[in-house]
């Protein structure tokens, strides 16, 4: 069965520091991959997506992610975080027909 | 352009009761999916509606049912509520021809006492 693993439940970084959130997936073929962000009490907002082609994808709010087929990973990165980036981040895979399978999420805390 | 709208935003029910949640998709979208997000967890797929039919279903009991109307809006019904049904219920819309990008509403927070 398709699955997504986000190994880090909670990450704390200082404002201005770089960020990397890990995501590993289990899927038989090359999946469609997504990163969503959820602020407290809010719905999910799409940060970026990978369908095919260039393995480094750019998203909104200065985020980027790199697809590595050999490692079954799709890690999210940002060079310098801002206090407003504090939120819950979800990696997701689409195994077919627009059905998303989500990871458990990584909660990001920003220290001033 | 209105995005995905859900109602109500919050509601409280007691065990055994029934609840109906509503969703209006983003303009131009014809597919509606419902997800359950328990506290501290990622969203779990409940089911998806397209052309007024349930197209896919996740691992949820028959107590969870839905409907899609001709205007593409949708309802999620849960019967015989259990304490474990307490969660944020998210509606997502998409176009049937898309490759999987979903647009989410802000959710309906259900508390079962």
């Amino acid at each position: 069965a398709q699955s997504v693993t986000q190994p880090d439940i909670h990450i704390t970084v200082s404002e201005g520091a770089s960020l990397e959130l890990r995501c590993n997936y289990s899927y038989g073929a090359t999946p469609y991959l997504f990163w969503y962000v959820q602020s407290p009490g809010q719905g999910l907002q799409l940060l970026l997506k990978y369908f095919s082609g260039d393995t480094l994808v750019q998203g909104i709010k200065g985020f980027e992610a790199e697809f590595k087929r050999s490692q079954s990973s799709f890690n999210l990165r940002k060079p310098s975080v801002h206090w407003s980036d504090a939120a819950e981040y979800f990696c997701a895979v689409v195994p077919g027909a627009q059905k998303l399978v989500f990871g458990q999420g990584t909660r990001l805390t920003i220290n001033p | 352009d209105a995005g995905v709208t859900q109602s109500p935003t919050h509601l409280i029910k007691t065990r055994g009761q029934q609840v109906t949640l509503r969703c209006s998709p983003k303009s131009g979208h014809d597919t509606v999916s419902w997800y359950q997000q328990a506290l501290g967890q990622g969203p779990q797929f409940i089911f998806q509606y397209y052309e007024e039919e349930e197209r896919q279903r996740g691992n949820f009991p028959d107590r969870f049912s839905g409907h899609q109307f001709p205007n593409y809006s949708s309802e999620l019904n849960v019967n015989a509520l259990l304490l474990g049904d307490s969660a944020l219920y998210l509606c997502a819309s998409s176009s049937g021809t898309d490759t999987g990008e979903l647009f989410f509403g802000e959710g309906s927070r259900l508390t079962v006492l």
Side-chain angles (χ1 to χ4, degrees):
Chain A
Q2 305 86 5
S3 66
V4 176
T5 302
Q6 294 181 246
D8 305 305
I9 296 175
H10 184 204
I11 284 182
T12 300
V13 299
S14 298
E15 189 168 16
S18 63
L19 171 70
E20 182 169 27
L21 302 182
R22 296 184 291 165
C23 172
N24 293 96
Y25 66 89
S26 172
Y27 186 60
T30 300
Y32 299 144
L33 293 159
F34 300 79
W35 275 99
Y36 282 86
V37 61
Q38 185 177 36
S39 298
Q42 302 294 311
L44 297 162
Q45 181 183 22
L46 178 67
L47 284 176
L48 47 77
K49 59 191 177 188
Y50 172 78
F51 290 165
S52 65
D54 192 348
T55 57
L56 185 64
V57 294
Q58 302 297 320
I60 63 171
K61 303 184 179 185
F63 285 93
E64 66 178 25
E66 185 172 13
F67 170 62
K68 293 186 176 180
R69 185 191 307 273
S70 61
Q71 299 176 19
S72 296
S73 69
F74 188 57
N75 294 348
L76 181 72
R77 301 194 294 249
K78 187 170 185 177
S80 176
V81 297
H82 186 263
W83 64 266
S84 61
D85 293 324
E88 189 92 19
Y89 291 81
F90 293 95
C91 181
V93 61
V94 177
Q98 305 176 10
K99 167 190 167 183
L100 282 166
V101 175
F102 286 90
Q104 190 173 359
T106 297
R107 182 161 61 95
L108 176 64
T109 298
I110 307 295
N111 280 337
Chain B
D1 177 23
V4 179
T5 58
Q6 293 186 242
S7 64
T9 55
H10 296 83
L11 69 166
I12 299 173
K13 294 286 187 178
T14 56
R15 281 177 295 176
Q17 284 190 311
Q18 179 263 345
V19 67
T20 297
L21 309 178
R22 296 176 177 82
C23 172
S24 293
K26 181 179 169 63
S27 177
H29 285 180
D30 56 11
T31 302
V32 173
S33 303
W34 288 91
Y35 290 79
Q36 181 196 63
Q37 185 179 18
L39 199 61
Q41 302 295 316
Q44 299 288 318
F45 176 75
I46 302 175
F47 44 53
Q48 182 185 89
Y49 277 83
Y50 173 70
E51 293 188 341
E52 302 181 50
E53 296 288 332
E54 183 181 289
R55 181 160 70 174
Q56 296 189 84
R57 188 177 183 91
N59 189 25
F60 279 81
D62 292 344
R63 297 187 297 110
F64 289 76
S65 63
H67 188 77
Q68 186 179 34
F69 299 94
N71 66 353
Y72 307 120
S73 66
S74 176
E75 289 182 350
L76 164 65
N77 300 291
V78 187
N79 295 322
L81 285 168
L82 305 174
L83 295 179
D85 295 331
S86 295
L88 180 68
Y89 288 85
L90 295 165
C91 171
S93 75
S94 56
S95 169
T97 59
D98 281 350
T99 47
E101 181 171 354
L102 306 185
F103 291 79
F104 284 84
E106 295 194 350
S108 294
R109 171 75 63 186
L110 171 64
T111 302
V112 182
L113 302 177

